[in-house]
Amino acid sequence: MTQPDVASTHRDGHARSLYAATMNPAPDRPALAGHHSVDVCVVGAGFTGISSALHLAEQGFRVAVLEAQRVGFGASGRNGGQIVNSYSRDMDMIEARFGEAAAQALGDMAFEGNRIIRERIERYAIRCDLKNGNLFAACNDKQLAALRHHQKLWEKYGHRELELLEGDAYQREIGSSRYKGALLDHSGGHLHPLNLVLGQAAAFESLGGVIFEHSPMTRLEHGERVRIHTAHGVIEAERAVIAGNAYLGDIVPELADRSMPCGTQVIATEVLDEATAKRLLPTDRAVEDSNYLLDYYRLSAERRLIYGGGVTYGGRDPASIEGAIRPKLLKTFPELKKVSIDYAWSGNFLMTLNRLPQFGRLNHNVYYAQGYSGHGVTSSHLAGRLVGEIIKGESARFDAFADIRHLPFPGGRRFAVPFSAMGAWYYALRDRLGV
Ligand SMILES: Cc1cc2nc3c(=O)[nH]c(=O)nc-3n(C[C@H](O)[C@H](O)[C@H](O)COP(=O)(O)OP(=O)(O)OC[C@H]3O[C@@H](n4cnc5c(N)ncnc54)[C@H](O)[C@@H]3O)c2cc1C
Protein backbone atom coordinates (compact mmCIF):
# COMPACT_ATOMS: atom_id res chain seq x y z
CA MET A 1 0.00 0.00 0.00
CA THR A 2 1.39 3.39 -0.91
CA GLN A 3 1.07 5.84 1.94
CA PRO A 4 1.09 9.62 1.77
CA ASP A 5 4.31 11.31 2.79
CA VAL A 6 4.14 11.40 6.52
CA ALA A 7 7.56 12.56 7.58
CA SER A 8 6.15 15.38 9.62
CA THR A 9 3.90 13.18 11.73
CA HIS A 10 5.39 11.09 14.47
CA ARG A 11 5.00 7.69 16.03
CA ASP A 12 5.86 7.57 19.73
CA GLY A 13 7.72 10.85 19.28
CA HIS A 14 9.82 9.53 16.39
CA ALA A 15 9.67 10.36 12.67
CA ARG A 16 7.23 7.91 11.12
CA SER A 17 9.94 5.74 9.61
CA LEU A 18 10.43 2.03 9.04
CA TYR A 19 12.82 2.17 11.99
CA ALA A 20 10.21 3.60 14.37
CA ALA A 21 7.80 0.88 13.22
CA THR A 22 10.36 -1.86 14.01
CA MET A 23 12.13 -0.41 17.05
CA ASN A 24 13.00 -2.52 20.08
CA PRO A 25 11.02 -1.68 23.22
CA ALA A 26 12.30 1.48 24.93
CA PRO A 27 11.14 3.17 28.11
CA ASP A 28 9.50 6.59 28.19
CA ARG A 29 12.02 8.73 30.08
CA PRO A 30 10.88 11.63 32.26
CA ALA A 31 11.42 15.29 31.45
CA LEU A 32 13.91 17.21 33.59
CA ALA A 33 12.40 18.91 36.63
CA GLY A 34 14.22 20.73 39.43
CA HIS A 35 17.92 21.07 40.09
CA HIS A 36 20.48 18.30 39.44
CA SER A 37 24.23 18.16 39.78
CA VAL A 38 26.50 15.80 37.80
CA ASP A 39 30.07 15.57 36.50
CA VAL A 40 29.08 15.86 32.83
CA CYS A 41 25.86 16.98 31.14
CA VAL A 42 25.38 15.87 27.51
CA VAL A 43 22.90 17.75 25.30
CA GLY A 44 21.39 15.55 22.58
CA ALA A 45 20.69 11.80 22.54
CA GLY A 46 21.82 10.78 19.08
CA PHE A 47 24.94 8.73 18.32
CA THR A 48 27.27 11.59 19.33
CA GLY A 49 25.57 12.28 22.66
CA ILE A 50 24.84 8.69 23.67
CA SER A 51 28.23 7.43 22.51
CA SER A 52 29.94 10.19 24.56
CA ALA A 53 27.73 9.46 27.58
CA LEU A 54 28.44 5.73 27.41
CA HIS A 55 32.22 6.19 27.14
CA LEU A 56 32.11 8.59 30.12
CA ALA A 57 29.90 6.31 32.23
CA GLU A 58 32.28 3.41 31.53
CA GLN A 59 35.05 5.56 33.02
CA GLY A 60 33.03 6.22 36.16
CA PHE A 61 31.78 9.77 35.50
CA ARG A 62 28.31 10.75 36.72
CA VAL A 63 26.55 11.74 33.52
CA ALA A 64 23.10 13.10 32.63
CA VAL A 65 21.79 13.38 29.05
CA LEU A 66 19.17 15.94 28.01
CA GLU A 67 17.19 15.13 24.87
CA ALA A 68 14.74 17.60 23.33
CA GLN A 69 12.46 14.80 22.02
CA ARG A 70 13.15 11.06 22.28
CA VAL A 71 16.43 9.11 22.25
CA GLY A 72 17.32 8.71 18.55
CA PHE A 73 14.82 11.33 17.37
CA GLY A 74 17.36 13.05 15.09
CA ALA A 75 19.50 11.76 12.23
CA SER A 76 20.76 8.82 14.30
CA GLY A 77 17.31 7.21 14.39
CA ARG A 78 16.45 7.87 10.74
CA ASN A 79 19.56 7.42 8.62
CA GLY A 80 20.45 4.97 5.87
CA GLY A 81 22.03 2.65 8.43
CA GLN A 82 25.20 2.42 6.34
CA ILE A 83 28.43 1.86 8.24
CA VAL A 84 30.72 3.89 6.00
CA ASN A 85 34.33 4.25 7.09
CA SER A 86 36.33 7.48 7.03
CA TYR A 87 35.09 11.01 6.36
CA SER A 88 33.18 12.95 3.76
CA ARG A 89 36.47 14.12 2.21
CA ASP A 90 39.32 12.14 0.68
CA MET A 91 42.58 11.80 2.58
CA ASP A 92 44.59 13.60 -0.14
CA MET A 93 42.48 16.74 0.34
CA ILE A 94 43.21 16.53 4.09
CA GLU A 95 46.95 16.09 3.37
CA ALA A 96 47.01 19.02 0.94
CA ARG A 97 45.03 21.41 3.07
CA PHE A 98 45.99 20.51 6.64
CA GLY A 99 49.43 18.86 6.30
CA GLU A 100 50.95 15.42 6.85
CA ALA A 101 50.64 15.34 10.64
CA ALA A 102 46.92 16.12 10.62
CA ALA A 103 46.35 13.65 7.79
CA GLN A 104 48.23 10.92 9.66
CA ALA A 105 46.19 11.49 12.83
CA LEU A 106 42.86 11.51 10.99
CA GLY A 107 43.91 8.65 8.71
CA ASP A 108 44.78 6.48 11.74
CA MET A 109 41.28 7.07 13.16
CA ALA A 110 39.36 6.70 9.89
CA PHE A 111 38.10 3.16 10.61
CA GLU A 112 37.89 3.39 14.41
CA GLY A 113 34.23 4.47 14.65
CA ASN A 114 33.24 1.29 12.84
CA ARG A 115 35.21 -0.83 15.33
CA ILE A 116 33.60 1.01 18.25
CA ILE A 117 30.11 0.23 16.88
CA ARG A 118 30.96 -3.46 16.61
CA GLU A 119 32.45 -3.54 20.12
CA ARG A 120 29.30 -1.90 21.49
CA ILE A 121 27.01 -4.34 19.75
CA GLU A 122 28.96 -7.28 21.09
CA ARG A 123 29.61 -6.07 24.63
CA TYR A 124 26.03 -4.96 25.26
CA ALA A 125 24.31 -7.60 23.07
CA ILE A 126 22.48 -4.93 21.04
CA ARG A 127 19.93 -6.34 18.59
CA CYS A 128 20.26 -4.10 15.50
CA ASP A 129 20.47 -6.41 12.44
CA LEU A 130 24.19 -5.89 11.76
CA LYS A 131 25.36 -7.05 8.29
CA ASN A 132 28.87 -6.87 6.80
CA GLY A 133 30.21 -4.98 3.77
CA ASN A 134 29.39 -1.79 1.92
CA LEU A 135 30.03 -0.68 -1.65
CA PHE A 136 30.83 2.63 -3.32
CA ALA A 137 29.45 2.36 -6.86
CA ALA A 138 30.88 4.27 -9.84
CA CYS A 139 28.36 5.76 -12.29
CA ASN A 140 31.04 6.61 -14.86
CA ASP A 141 34.71 5.96 -15.69
CA LYS A 142 35.87 9.08 -13.92
CA GLN A 143 34.24 7.92 -10.68
CA LEU A 144 35.82 4.47 -11.10
CA ALA A 145 39.26 6.06 -11.45
CA ALA A 146 38.53 8.11 -8.32
CA LEU A 147 37.61 4.92 -6.42
CA ARG A 148 40.90 3.30 -7.52
CA HIS A 149 42.74 6.34 -6.17
CA HIS A 150 40.65 6.27 -3.00
CA GLN A 151 41.61 2.63 -2.35
CA LYS A 152 45.34 3.49 -2.62
CA LEU A 153 44.91 6.41 -0.23
CA TRP A 154 43.15 4.29 2.40
CA GLU A 155 45.77 1.56 2.05
CA LYS A 156 48.46 4.16 2.71
CA TYR A 157 46.81 4.70 6.11
CA GLY A 158 46.71 0.97 6.84
CA HIS A 159 43.13 0.18 5.77
CA ARG A 160 43.42 -2.85 3.53
CA GLU A 161 39.93 -4.34 3.62
CA LEU A 162 39.04 -2.89 0.21
CA GLU A 163 38.42 -4.70 -3.06
CA LEU A 164 37.99 -2.90 -6.38
CA LEU A 165 35.39 -4.58 -8.61
CA GLU A 166 36.14 -3.49 -12.17
CA GLY A 167 34.06 -4.12 -15.28
CA ASP A 168 31.04 -6.32 -14.63
CA ALA A 169 32.48 -7.86 -11.45
CA TYR A 170 30.32 -5.54 -9.34
CA GLN A 171 27.23 -7.36 -10.62
CA ARG A 172 27.91 -10.22 -8.21
CA GLU A 173 27.04 -7.59 -5.54
CA ILE A 174 24.50 -5.25 -7.19
CA GLY A 175 21.78 -6.38 -9.61
CA SER A 176 21.79 -3.16 -11.64
CA SER A 177 23.40 -2.36 -15.00
CA ARG A 178 23.83 1.28 -13.98
CA TYR A 179 27.45 1.19 -12.89
CA LYS A 180 31.00 0.96 -14.25
CA GLY A 181 32.39 -0.79 -11.20
CA ALA A 182 32.48 -0.48 -7.41
CA LEU A 183 34.79 -0.43 -4.41
CA LEU A 184 33.83 -3.03 -1.82
CA ASP A 185 34.77 -2.30 1.79
CA HIS A 186 34.60 -5.67 3.52
CA SER A 187 34.89 -3.99 6.92
CA GLY A 188 31.86 -1.68 6.43
CA GLY A 189 28.29 -2.80 6.81
CA HIS A 190 24.76 -1.79 7.68
CA LEU A 191 22.31 -1.95 10.58
CA HIS A 192 19.09 -0.68 12.15
CA PRO A 193 20.31 2.71 13.40
CA LEU A 194 17.49 3.50 15.82
CA ASN A 195 17.98 0.16 17.58
CA LEU A 196 21.73 0.82 17.79
CA VAL A 197 21.22 4.13 19.60
CA LEU A 198 18.48 2.71 21.83
CA GLY A 199 20.72 -0.23 22.77
CA GLN A 200 23.57 2.10 23.74
CA ALA A 201 21.19 4.31 25.73
CA ALA A 202 20.08 1.25 27.70
CA ALA A 203 23.73 0.28 28.27
CA PHE A 204 24.45 3.80 29.53
CA GLU A 205 21.53 3.58 31.97
CA SER A 206 22.68 0.17 33.16
CA LEU A 207 25.90 1.90 34.29
CA GLY A 208 23.97 4.48 36.32
CA GLY A 209 23.57 7.17 33.65
CA VAL A 210 20.41 9.26 33.54
CA ILE A 211 18.50 10.40 30.43
CA PHE A 212 15.79 13.07 30.40
CA GLU A 213 13.58 13.11 27.30
CA HIS A 214 11.26 15.95 26.17
CA SER A 215 13.82 18.30 27.74
CA PRO A 216 15.25 20.80 25.27
CA MET A 217 18.10 22.93 26.55
CA THR A 218 16.80 26.50 26.51
CA ARG A 219 19.97 28.21 27.76
CA LEU A 220 23.63 27.37 28.25
CA GLU A 221 25.17 29.34 31.10
CA HIS A 222 28.96 29.30 31.08
CA GLY A 223 31.04 29.38 34.27
CA GLU A 224 33.39 27.33 36.46
CA ARG A 225 30.43 24.97 36.64
CA VAL A 226 28.22 24.97 33.55
CA ARG A 227 24.47 25.38 34.03
CA ILE A 228 22.18 23.87 31.39
CA HIS A 229 18.63 25.18 31.63
CA THR A 230 15.40 23.62 30.38
CA ALA A 231 11.82 24.87 30.76
CA HIS A 232 11.40 23.13 34.14
CA GLY A 233 14.84 22.45 35.50
CA VAL A 234 18.58 23.01 35.50
CA ILE A 235 21.59 20.70 35.45
CA GLU A 236 24.82 21.97 36.93
CA ALA A 237 27.96 20.17 35.76
CA GLU A 238 31.73 20.44 35.69
CA ARG A 239 31.68 19.85 31.93
CA ALA A 240 29.10 19.83 29.17
CA VAL A 241 29.01 18.19 25.75
CA ILE A 242 26.89 19.75 23.00
CA ALA A 243 25.67 17.03 20.64
CA GLY A 244 22.54 18.53 19.03
CA ASN A 245 24.03 18.52 15.52
CA ALA A 246 21.53 19.60 12.81
CA TYR A 247 18.67 19.86 15.31
CA LEU A 248 20.41 22.31 17.65
CA GLY A 249 19.12 25.44 15.89
CA ASP A 250 20.63 28.74 17.01
CA ILE A 251 20.64 28.05 20.75
CA VAL A 252 24.47 28.01 20.82
CA PRO A 253 25.23 30.93 18.45
CA GLU A 254 28.98 30.15 18.28
CA LEU A 255 28.12 26.87 16.54
CA ALA A 256 25.52 28.13 14.09
CA ASP A 257 27.45 30.00 11.38
CA ARG A 258 30.06 27.39 10.47
CA SER A 259 27.62 24.64 9.56
CA MET A 260 24.33 24.19 7.76
CA PRO A 261 21.46 21.71 8.31
CA CYS A 262 20.59 19.74 5.17
CA GLY A 263 17.66 17.39 4.62
CA THR A 264 17.85 14.01 2.91
CA GLN A 265 14.94 11.69 2.17
CA VAL A 266 14.43 7.95 2.45
CA ILE A 267 11.76 5.49 1.29
CA ALA A 268 11.22 1.83 2.16
CA THR A 269 9.39 -0.60 -0.12
CA GLU A 270 6.94 -3.30 0.77
CA VAL A 271 8.59 -6.59 1.86
CA LEU A 272 10.21 -8.13 -1.25
CA ASP A 273 10.08 -11.83 -1.99
CA GLU A 274 13.33 -13.68 -1.42
CA ALA A 275 14.16 -14.14 -5.12
CA THR A 276 13.72 -10.43 -5.92
CA ALA A 277 15.81 -9.34 -2.93
CA LYS A 278 18.56 -11.77 -4.00
CA ARG A 279 18.54 -10.37 -7.54
CA LEU A 280 18.86 -6.77 -6.33
CA LEU A 281 21.51 -7.26 -3.67
CA PRO A 282 22.75 -10.88 -3.83
CA THR A 283 25.23 -10.51 -0.96
CA ASP A 284 23.09 -8.18 1.19
CA ARG A 285 25.58 -5.30 1.38
CA ALA A 286 24.86 -1.58 1.59
CA VAL A 287 25.51 0.61 -1.47
CA GLU A 288 26.10 4.29 -2.06
CA ASP A 289 26.98 5.75 -5.43
CA SER A 290 29.77 8.26 -6.03
CA ASN A 291 27.69 11.21 -7.21
CA TYR A 292 27.90 14.48 -5.33
CA LEU A 293 24.14 14.18 -4.67
CA LEU A 294 24.38 10.51 -3.92
CA ASP A 295 21.87 7.65 -3.77
CA TYR A 296 22.23 5.09 -0.95
CA TYR A 297 20.36 1.83 -0.44
CA ARG A 298 20.29 -1.53 1.29
CA LEU A 299 17.91 -4.26 2.36
CA SER A 300 16.30 -4.21 5.79
CA ALA A 301 16.23 -7.34 7.93
CA GLU A 302 12.68 -8.07 6.72
CA ARG A 303 13.77 -7.63 3.02
CA ARG A 304 12.43 -4.16 2.28
CA LEU A 305 14.60 -2.04 0.01
CA ILE A 306 15.54 1.13 1.92
CA TYR A 307 16.47 3.78 -0.66
CA GLY A 308 17.70 7.28 0.15
CA GLY A 309 18.95 10.25 -1.77
CA GLY A 310 18.57 13.90 -2.48
CA VAL A 311 19.66 16.87 -0.44
CA THR A 312 17.55 19.85 0.49
CA TYR A 313 19.42 22.80 1.92
CA GLY A 314 18.30 24.37 5.15
CA GLY A 315 16.56 21.09 6.10
CA ARG A 316 13.30 21.59 4.17
CA ASP A 317 11.39 18.63 2.70
CA PRO A 318 10.37 18.32 -0.96
CA ALA A 319 6.59 18.40 -1.61
CA SER A 320 6.52 14.60 -1.93
CA ILE A 321 9.29 12.39 -0.59
CA GLU A 322 8.11 9.38 -2.56
CA GLY A 323 7.81 11.57 -5.67
CA ALA A 324 11.41 12.72 -5.20
CA ILE A 325 13.06 9.38 -4.40
CA ARG A 326 11.07 6.75 -6.34
CA PRO A 327 12.48 7.84 -9.75
CA LYS A 328 16.01 7.38 -8.37
CA LEU A 329 15.14 3.90 -7.13
CA LEU A 330 13.66 2.97 -10.53
CA LYS A 331 16.74 4.26 -12.36
CA THR A 332 18.82 1.76 -10.36
CA PHE A 333 16.28 -1.09 -10.27
CA PRO A 334 13.76 -0.70 -13.16
CA GLU A 335 12.24 -4.09 -12.30
CA LEU A 336 10.66 -2.52 -9.18
CA LYS A 337 8.28 -0.29 -11.16
CA LYS A 338 5.23 -1.90 -9.57
CA VAL A 339 6.59 -2.00 -6.04
CA SER A 340 4.65 -0.26 -3.24
CA ILE A 341 6.32 2.23 -0.96
CA ASP A 342 5.27 1.63 2.64
CA TYR A 343 7.37 4.28 4.39
CA ALA A 344 8.73 7.71 3.43
CA TRP A 345 10.64 9.95 5.82
CA SER A 346 13.38 12.53 5.98
CA GLY A 347 16.00 13.73 8.41
CA ASN A 348 18.60 16.45 8.79
CA PHE A 349 22.33 16.09 8.82
CA LEU A 350 24.83 18.90 9.37
CA MET A 351 27.17 20.05 6.62
CA THR A 352 30.41 21.99 7.11
CA LEU A 353 32.05 23.97 4.33
CA ASN A 354 35.09 21.66 4.10
CA ARG A 355 32.89 18.58 4.84
CA LEU A 356 35.09 17.48 7.77
CA PRO A 357 33.70 16.96 11.28
CA GLN A 358 33.70 19.98 13.56
CA PHE A 359 35.02 19.39 17.09
CA GLY A 360 36.03 21.96 19.67
CA ARG A 361 35.59 23.73 22.99
CA LEU A 362 33.60 26.75 24.13
CA ASN A 363 35.31 28.12 27.21
CA HIS A 364 37.44 25.45 28.83
CA ASN A 365 34.67 23.09 29.93
CA VAL A 366 32.10 22.82 27.12
CA TYR A 367 32.91 20.48 24.23
CA TYR A 368 31.12 19.93 20.96
CA ALA A 369 31.25 17.44 18.08
CA GLN A 370 29.05 17.81 15.00
CA GLY A 371 28.97 18.37 11.24
CA TYR A 372 29.84 14.94 9.85
CA SER A 373 28.48 16.14 6.49
CA GLY A 374 26.42 13.05 5.63
CA HIS A 375 28.85 10.34 6.82
CA GLY A 376 28.20 10.35 10.54
CA VAL A 377 27.36 6.82 11.65
CA THR A 378 30.99 5.91 12.29
CA SER A 379 32.41 9.42 12.97
CA SER A 380 29.83 10.12 15.69
CA HIS A 381 30.93 6.96 17.50
CA LEU A 382 34.56 8.03 17.20
CA ALA A 383 33.50 11.44 18.54
CA GLY A 384 32.07 9.77 21.64
CA ARG A 385 35.37 8.06 22.39
CA LEU A 386 37.36 11.26 21.83
CA VAL A 387 35.02 13.24 24.11
CA GLY A 388 35.61 10.54 26.74
CA GLU A 389 39.37 10.91 26.26
CA ILE A 390 39.49 14.71 26.52
CA ILE A 391 37.32 14.79 29.63
CA LYS A 392 39.69 12.24 31.17
CA GLY A 393 42.57 14.62 30.33
CA GLU A 394 43.91 13.09 27.10
CA SER A 395 43.38 15.78 24.50
CA ALA A 396 45.68 14.84 21.57
CA ARG A 397 43.23 12.90 19.43
CA PHE A 398 40.29 15.23 20.07
CA ASP A 399 42.55 18.18 19.20
CA ALA A 400 43.60 16.60 15.91
CA PHE A 401 40.01 17.37 14.83
CA ALA A 402 39.62 20.56 16.86
CA ASP A 403 42.68 22.06 15.13
CA ILE A 404 40.99 21.86 11.71
CA ARG A 405 39.89 25.32 10.72
CA HIS A 406 36.25 25.68 9.71
CA LEU A 407 35.16 28.72 7.75
CA PRO A 408 31.68 30.18 8.02
CA PHE A 409 29.27 29.69 5.12
CA PRO A 410 29.31 32.93 3.13
CA GLY A 411 26.59 35.17 4.55
CA GLY A 412 25.87 32.79 7.47
CA ARG A 413 22.98 30.30 7.46
CA ARG A 414 20.51 32.73 5.87
CA PHE A 415 22.51 33.10 2.65
CA ALA A 416 24.06 29.66 2.89
CA VAL A 417 20.87 28.07 1.59
CA PRO A 418 20.73 29.80 -1.83
CA PHE A 419 24.54 29.61 -2.05
CA SER A 420 24.58 25.86 -1.42
CA ALA A 421 21.55 25.22 -3.64
CA MET A 422 23.46 26.86 -6.49
CA GLY A 423 26.45 24.67 -5.70
CA ALA A 424 24.22 21.58 -5.60
CA TRP A 425 22.67 22.49 -8.95
CA TYR A 426 26.15 22.76 -10.44
CA TYR A 427 27.27 19.41 -8.99
CA ALA A 428 23.98 17.70 -9.98
CA LEU A 429 24.63 18.88 -13.55
CA ARG A 430 28.16 17.47 -13.36
CA ASP A 431 26.74 14.16 -12.02
CA ARG A 432 24.33 14.00 -14.98
CA LEU A 433 27.01 14.85 -17.54
CA GLY A 434 29.46 12.43 -15.91
CA VAL A 435 32.26 15.01 -15.75
C1 LIG B 1 18.16 10.56 6.31
C2 LIG B 1 19.60 10.47 6.68
C3 LIG B 1 20.37 9.42 6.19
C4 LIG B 1 21.71 9.29 6.58
N1 LIG B 1 22.38 8.16 6.22
C5 LIG B 1 23.63 7.95 6.70
C6 LIG B 1 24.28 6.71 6.46
O1 LIG B 1 23.70 5.79 5.89
N2 LIG B 1 25.55 6.57 6.92
C7 LIG B 1 26.20 7.57 7.61
O2 LIG B 1 27.36 7.40 7.97
N3 LIG B 1 25.57 8.72 7.92
C8 LIG B 1 24.30 8.92 7.51
N4 LIG B 1 23.63 10.05 7.86
C9 LIG B 1 24.28 11.00 8.81
C10 LIG B 1 24.20 10.48 10.26
O3 LIG B 1 22.94 9.94 10.52
C11 LIG B 1 24.49 11.64 11.23
O4 LIG B 1 25.72 12.23 10.90
C12 LIG B 1 24.56 11.18 12.68
O5 LIG B 1 23.48 10.37 13.02
C13 LIG B 1 24.63 12.40 13.60
O6 LIG B 1 24.45 11.99 14.92
P1 LIG B 1 24.31 13.09 16.07
O7 LIG B 1 24.11 12.37 17.33
O8 LIG B 1 25.45 14.03 15.99
O9 LIG B 1 23.01 13.94 15.65
P2 LIG B 1 21.47 13.53 15.77
O10 LIG B 1 21.28 12.08 15.64
O11 LIG B 1 20.72 14.43 14.87
O12 LIG B 1 21.12 13.83 17.30
C14 LIG B 1 21.00 15.15 17.81
C15 LIG B 1 20.00 15.09 18.96
O13 LIG B 1 20.08 16.30 19.70
C16 LIG B 1 18.80 16.66 20.11
N5 LIG B 1 18.80 18.10 20.39
C17 LIG B 1 18.97 19.12 19.52
N6 LIG B 1 18.90 20.29 20.17
C18 LIG B 1 18.70 20.01 21.48
C19 LIG B 1 18.52 20.82 22.63
N7 LIG B 1 18.51 22.16 22.59
N8 LIG B 1 18.34 20.20 23.83
C20 LIG B 1 18.32 18.86 23.93
N9 LIG B 1 18.46 18.03 22.83
C21 LIG B 1 18.65 18.62 21.63
C22 LIG B 1 17.91 16.29 18.93
O14 LIG B 1 16.56 16.14 19.28
C23 LIG B 1 18.55 14.98 18.47
O15 LIG B 1 17.95 13.85 19.05
C24 LIG B 1 22.31 10.25 7.44
C25 LIG B 1 21.55 11.33 7.91
C26 LIG B 1 20.21 11.44 7.55
C27 LIG B 1 19.41 12.59 8.07
Side-chain angles (χ1 to χ4, degrees):
M1 177 193 61
T2 300
Q3 297 184 344
D5 289 334
V6 284
S8 57
T9 59
H10 296 82
R11 175 188 181 271
D12 295 339
H14 287 282
R16 200 183 174 289
S17 67
L18 168 64
Y19 303 130
T22 54
M23 67 191 257
N24 294 333
D28 237 333
R29 279 112 179 167
L32 178 73
H35 183 278
H36 296 252
S37 179
V38 290
D39 298 329
V40 185
C41 176
V42 176
V43 179
F47 289 149
T48 303
I50 291 295
S51 172
S52 301
L54 182 51
H55 281 287
L56 289 163
E58 285 172 338
Q59 293 169 31
F61 288 95
R62 288 178 313 127
V63 183
V65 177
L66 285 181
E67 165 54 47
Q69 310 281 345
R70 305 292 314 271
V71 171
F73 167 84
S76 302
R78 316 172 183 209
N79 60 59
Q82 307 217 357
I83 304 175
V84 182
N85 284 300
S86 198
Y87 316 106
S88 275
R89 285 316 283 268
D90 287 338
M91 291 307 303
D92 52 354
M93 169 274 183
I94 300 174
E95 284 168 9
R97 209 176 294 171
F98 303 105
E100 283 291 328
Q104 190 63 53
L106 267 61
D108 286 347
M109 292 187 266
F111 280 48
E112 191 170 331
N114 175 3
R115 289 195 292 274
I116 294 168
I117 292 171
R118 290 163 188 277
E119 282 163 25
R120 294 303 195 209
I121 292 173
E122 202 176 320
R123 182 179 320 163
Y124 297 109
I126 298 174
R127 288 182 295 121
C128 60
D129 309 326
L130 174 66
K131 300 272 171 61
N132 289 323
N134 74 296
L135 292 132
F136 303 92
C139 299
N140 53 50
D141 290 331
K142 191 168 172 221
Q143 289 181 358
L144 187 60
L147 288 176
R148 203 175 288 122
H149 178 62
H150 194 73
Q151 178 182 20
K152 287 209 182 78
L153 279 171
W154 272 0
E155 285 175 351
K156 178 173 160 193
Y157 290 94
H159 309 301
R160 305 193 177 282
E161 305 85 344
L162 302 155
E163 185 185 348
L164 191 67
L165 306 174
E166 305 217 42
D168 291 343
Y170 80 86
Q171 290 190 354
R172 71 167 206 235
E173 304 282 343
I174 313 170
S176 170
S177 55
R178 204 181 152 182
Y179 304 118
K180 297 285 181 189
L183 183 61
L184 167 60
D185 181 354
H186 288 276
S187 71
H190 60 100
L191 44 65
H192 188 306
L194 181 55
N195 282 340
L196 175 63
V197 69
L198 291 173
Q200 292 182 87
F204 166 65
E205 289 170 320
S206 75
L207 299 176
V210 180
I211 302 175
F212 298 100
E213 293 184 314
H214 313 290
S215 302
M217 170 178 77
T218 52
R219 189 157 66 94
L220 169 64
E221 189 183 335
H222 289 289
E224 256 332 287
R225 286 177 67 76
V226 190
R227 289 163 65 87
I228 312 276
H229 298 261
T230 69
H232 303 290
V234 58
I235 296 188
E236 200 178 290
E238 272 167 34
R239 324 277 182 102
V241 180
I242 307 298
N245 208 38
Y247 291 87
L248 191 62
D250 295 337
I251 192 99
V252 184
E254 301 94 314
L255 299 186
D257 70 335
R258 276 150 218 270
S259 59
M260 182 177 46
C262 298
T264 166
Q265 297 78 40
V266 187
I267 57 180
T269 66
E270 63 188 303
V271 173
L272 304 175
D273 63 70
E274 230 169 283
T276 305
K278 202 103 195 129
R279 268 199 312 279
L280 304 185
L281 290 164
T283 49
D284 202 359
R285 321 257 200 208
V287 182
E288 68 171 51
D289 71 30
S290 306
N291 284 332
Y292 179 80
L293 300 180
L294 55 85
D295 288 9
Y296 48 95
Y297 51 89
R298 67 186 186 91
L299 292 167
S300 71
E302 66 275 24
R303 286 198 315 272
R304 296 175 191 274
L305 184 68
I306 300 175
Y307 203 103
V311 176
T312 49
Y313 293 93
R316 277 181 290 247
D317 280 339
S320 161
I321 293 173
E322 184 180 336
I325 305 301
R326 193 185 179 98
K328 296 172 188 285
L329 180 156
L330 292 181
K331 193 168 173 195
T332 308
F333 297 118
E335 74 166 282
L336 293 184
K337 62 178 178 298
K338 293 213 172 106
V339 83
S340 293
I341 304 302
D342 283 353
Y343 298 90
W345 70 94
S346 69
N348 293 344
F349 64 92
L350 195 68
M351 182 86 100
T352 62
L353 205 53
N354 62 19
R355 289 194 275 133
L356 288 172
Q358 201 173 48
F359 290 21
R361 301 169 182 75
L362 305 171
N363 269 354
H364 62 286
N365 54 2
V366 177
Y367 306 92
Y368 60 88
Q370 60 175 27
Y372 312 104
S373 303
H375 280 159
V377 169
T378 58
S379 298
S380 55
H381 284 82
L382 174 65
R385 177 173 281 170
L386 301 188
V387 164
E389 287 178 9
I390 194 163
I391 289 183
K392 204 169 49 175
E394 297 164 8
S395 61
R397 298 199 323 145
F398 183 94
D399 282 341
F401 284 96
D403 287 345
I404 291 173
R405 199 156 154 247
H406 288 273
L407 296 174
F409 279 85
R413 274 193 188 168
R414 195 151 66 89
F415 292 107
V417 173
F419 169 79
S420 306
M422 266 167 53
W425 175 84
Y426 166 73
Y427 281 111
L429 186 68
R430 285 181 39 159
D431 286 347
R432 275 206 299 280
L433 298 176
V435 294

